[in-house]
Amino acid sequence: MENIEKQKINNLDVQNLNIVDKNGNVKMTLFSNGNVPPAKMDGKDILPGHRQNDPISGVMFYNGEGDECGGLIFGSEKRENGDYHSGLSLTFDQYKQDQIVQILVDDHNGEQTYGFHIYDRPSTPLTEILKMSNNIQTIENETEKQKAFEKLSEKSHQRIFMGKNRNGDVSVRLNDSKGKERIRMLIDSNDVPRMEFLDDQGRVIYSLPPAQDTEKH
């Protein structure tokens, strides 16, 4: 391959393009709507059909073992009645797991949320988590099934959000290891700033300024 002369191409129209290393291993895939690559890990499609019908294009990243390790997806969809949904997501995955860093933009008929997210993931590989999830699905007792799913996801939580929500609040929110919000610093849609500390039940235990001061606005 070293003897092949470089070519200059001004325009190239493709629906799918793989960037490979010198051994032919795919390191990055550029794809258009309808050509979404499968979620690969350990050489297999671990989520058959995942994202295949979504109106998205983007770029997928692959690590040295060929596992998907993040990517950029974007797209929009508009209905005949004028309703629309538009979004963009840039993610970076934990080794053999799901995303741990994400930049997300979501717009549904003008209701927008966008920001930066950080997640905790378990050390158990995602392939094992999926197998356990499939086994849990066979449990007939709904209460036991729910408890089993909660146990399975107990180490997978969002820890940080920094951005703007659909209410117009711009905030930084910090969650504990169980995914419960414990600190939030925000400026609400009325431009009133505040900082709140919460207990593990979601109750505000301390705020700046004190609650009675914010109620005057």
Side-chain angles (χ1 to χ4, degrees):
M1 294 183 66
E2 290 79 3
N3 296 324
I4 297 178
E5 294 184 1
K6 292 183 178 179
Q7 299 182 36
K8 182 178 179 180
I9 302 175
N10 292 328
N11 293 285
L12 182 65
D13 292 338
V14 298
Q15 295 186 28
N16 191 87
L17 180 65
N18 291 329
I19 308 299
V20 301
D21 62 18
K22 64 180 181 180
N23 297 315
N25 300 309
V26 178
K27 311 303 294 183
M28 183 168 63
T29 295
L30 286 72
F31 62 92
S32 64
N33 188 1
N35 296 278
V36 184
K40 292 182 62 178
M41 188 170 291
D42 298 330
K44 300 177 181 179
D45 180 356
I46 62 172
L47 291 169
H50 179 55
R51 304 177 301 214
Q52 296 303 303
N53 296 320
D54 294 345
I56 58 174
S57 302
V59 184
M60 287 298 170
F61 312 137
Y62 300 94
N63 65 18
E65 298 170 43
D67 299 338
E68 181 182 314
C69 59
L72 168 67
I73 58 174
F74 53 88
S76 65
E77 190 171 34
K78 190 172 184 178
R79 298 181 179 178
E80 292 183 0
N81 64 1
D83 288 350
Y84 73 89
H85 180 248
S86 175
L88 179 150
S89 175
L90 173 64
T91 59
F92 302 96
D93 299 347
Q94 178 176 304
Y95 179 70
K96 297 292 184 182
Q97 251 294 333
D98 208 346
Q99 65 203 36
I100 51 175
V101 176
Q102 180 182 33
I103 297 174
L104 178 68
V105 177
D106 187 78
D107 183 346
H108 188 186
N109 294 332
E111 292 186 0
Q112 300 177 338
T113 180
Y114 41 86
F116 178 79
H117 305 251
I118 289 180
Y119 300 87
D120 273 350
R121 300 298 182 192
S123 58
T124 306
L126 184 56
T127 50
E128 295 301 315
I129 295 290
L130 291 173
K131 289 178 183 178
M132 289 186 278
S133 178
N134 290 334
N135 291 334
I136 292 172
Q137 288 285 6
T138 64
I139 299 176
E140 295 183 0
N141 185 286
E142 290 299 323
T143 301
E144 293 181 3
K145 181 186 293 187
Q146 181 64 29
K147 289 182 179 180
F149 275 124
E150 290 176 358
K151 179 70 174 177
L152 184 63
S153 62
E154 65 181 3
K155 293 185 179 181
S156 184
H157 300 290
Q158 179 171 290
R159 297 300 302 273
I160 297 174
F161 169 77
M162 179 177 66
K164 187 176 182 179
N165 65 18
R166 298 188 189 282
N167 296 324
D169 299 339
V170 177
S171 65
V172 175
R173 299 169 185 263
L174 307 179
N175 301 343
D176 62 20
S177 62
K178 297 180 176 61
K180 295 181 179 180
E181 189 174 70
R182 302 301 294 271
I183 299 175
R184 57 178 171 237
M185 179 173 61
L186 63 89
I187 299 175
D188 66 22
S189 58
N190 295 314
D191 289 335
V192 178
R194 68 179 184 273
M195 186 173 185
E196 298 175 332
F197 296 81
L198 301 87
D199 63 16
D200 59 4
Q201 299 301 311
R203 296 183 293 256
V204 176
I205 55 177
Y206 183 71
S207 63
L208 291 172
Q212 60 267 28
D213 292 342
T214 59
E215 290 172 357
K216 296 177 182 179
H217 293 276

